[in-house]
Amino acid sequence: MQPSAFRHKLLTALLLAPATAWLVVFLVLPFVAIVVFSVGERAPEGGYQAALTIAQYANLPARATAFWNTLILAPVGAFACLLVAYPVAYYIALQVPERWRLILLALIVIPFWTSLLIRTYAWMYILGGRGIPALLSYVGIEDLRLINTPGAVLLGIVYGYLPLMILPIYVSLERLDRRLLEASADLGATPLSTFFGVTLRLSLPGVMTGFSLVMILLLGEYLIPTLLGGGKVFFIGNALVDLFLQSRNWPFGSAIAVTLVLVSVVVLVIANRVSARYSGARQVDLI
């Protein structure tokens, strides 16, 4: 090996070492610990007891309700975010003058400056008995319950995660070559055909990035179902909190956590496949 090539590889290794060490300590090792816990048993006083069994994975149907709610409401919530986010991102990227784009993007990001907990508490008041139901009662609509329902949880999901869907879609649309839109129109394509054949197709990497990002975060969501679901809409995140902090069944909770990670990997793989197939992109960029 040439000295220059060796120095180049050594320099690359030194530059990557801090990030690699960070990932190993804070990502790989905790996941390995969770995997080890998942094949153990619950100690008599709670916690973990060393063993080698798959009984915890066989017991996953015991939390079927949490899995079912998560695997239904998470995709529905991500898709609802997409339906709201795409027109907003399209308008900012392709219709708004460039001097106004940064201001509008700042307005989208501003809610992140406030804690999600505080914003969710605000929705508890809005959807609670002294909020929208109280206003509707003045026009004769009585006994309307909005809080502690799946609809309230979906509303909180859309409100809380909408910026994470808008930004990657905006990036894809903002990078779109406008000449392709003009060429499509010159060739006689209708605006609708241009949108589906050019705009949507080329912005699909951003769409799949936003969808997979929101979907993965929703798989572990705890706060919104707890506050807006009122203990009646359980997600996997709620089950994990119960198992680790209340019943102290760490092995069973670890088995659920490992399953959750595997589902997240499946979501990423599907997102990459869809993006690569329909847009020609090699991968979904999560940055």
Side-chain angles (χ1 to χ4, degrees):
M1 181 181 296
Q2 296 293 331
S4 60
F6 176 77
R7 286 195 298 269
H8 176 73
K9 291 186 177 183
L10 179 61
L11 179 60
T12 302
L14 291 175
L15 292 175
L16 293 177
T20 303
W22 178 277
L23 290 175
V24 169
V25 172
F26 294 103
L27 182 63
V28 177
L29 292 181
F31 182 71
V32 171
I34 291 295
V35 172
V36 172
F37 283 0
S38 70
V39 295
E41 295 178 346
R42 182 183 185 274
E45 69 280 2
Y48 166 74
Q49 179 174 287
L52 184 59
T53 175
I54 61 171
Q56 309 302 334
Y57 292 95
N59 196 33
L60 289 177
R63 296 287 177 164
T65 300
F67 276 100
W68 182 255
N69 289 338
T70 303
L71 295 179
I72 287 190
L73 293 179
V76 171
F79 187 72
C81 285
L82 175 60
L83 291 180
V84 177
Y86 199 96
V88 175
Y90 180 90
Y91 178 75
I92 296 176
L94 300 179
Q95 302 296 325
V96 172
E98 188 173 354
R99 65 179 181 275
W100 293 105
R101 292 176 190 170
L102 185 59
I103 297 176
L104 294 178
L105 290 175
L107 292 176
I108 292 172
V109 176
I110 281 176
F112 274 113
W113 298 356
T114 305
S115 170
L116 178 62
L117 176 63
I118 297 176
R119 289 183 281 134
T120 306
Y121 267 118
W123 276 108
M124 289 181 63
Y125 181 84
I126 294 172
L127 300 177
R130 293 181 294 177
I132 295 177
L135 296 177
L136 294 177
S137 65
Y138 287 108
V139 296
I141 302 177
E142 303 286 349
D143 300 326
L144 178 64
R145 191 184 72 168
L146 299 178
I147 197 70
N148 301 338
T149 63
V153 174
L154 286 176
L155 182 60
I157 286 172
V158 173
Y159 175 77
Y161 289 92
L162 187 60
L164 296 179
M165 184 73 74
I166 291 177
L167 294 178
I169 297 176
Y170 166 80
V171 171
S172 290
L173 291 172
E174 198 272 336
R175 294 176 179 176
L176 186 65
D177 190 345
R178 307 301 197 275
R179 293 174 297 180
L180 297 176
L181 305 180
E182 297 173 358
S184 177
D186 291 340
L187 292 174
T190 63
L192 192 61
S193 298
T194 300
F195 173 77
F196 285 105
V198 179
T199 306
L200 181 60
R201 189 180 184 91
L202 294 179
S203 64
L204 195 58
V207 171
M208 297 312 301
T209 297
F211 188 89
S212 58
L213 181 61
V214 171
M215 178 73 177
I216 290 171
L217 292 175
L218 287 179
L219 290 176
E221 178 60 45
Y222 165 76
L223 181 64
I224 294 175
T226 298
L227 297 182
L228 298 183
K232 299 180 180 180
V233 182
F234 288 95
F235 272 32
I236 297 177
N238 303 101
L240 291 175
V241 171
D242 173 66
L243 289 170
F244 276 98
L245 300 183
Q246 298 181 20
S247 60
R248 289 181 52 80
N249 192 344
W250 292 6
F252 189 29
S254 299
I256 293 178
V258 172
T259 305
L260 182 61
V261 172
L262 295 178
V263 172
S264 300
V265 171
V266 170
V267 171
L268 282 177
V269 171
I270 293 176
N272 277 279
R273 293 285 181 87
V274 171
S275 179
R277 178 175 180 179
Y278 293 102
S279 70
R282 293 184 179 179
Q283 62 181 6
V284 176
D285 296 326
L286 290 179
I287 300 179

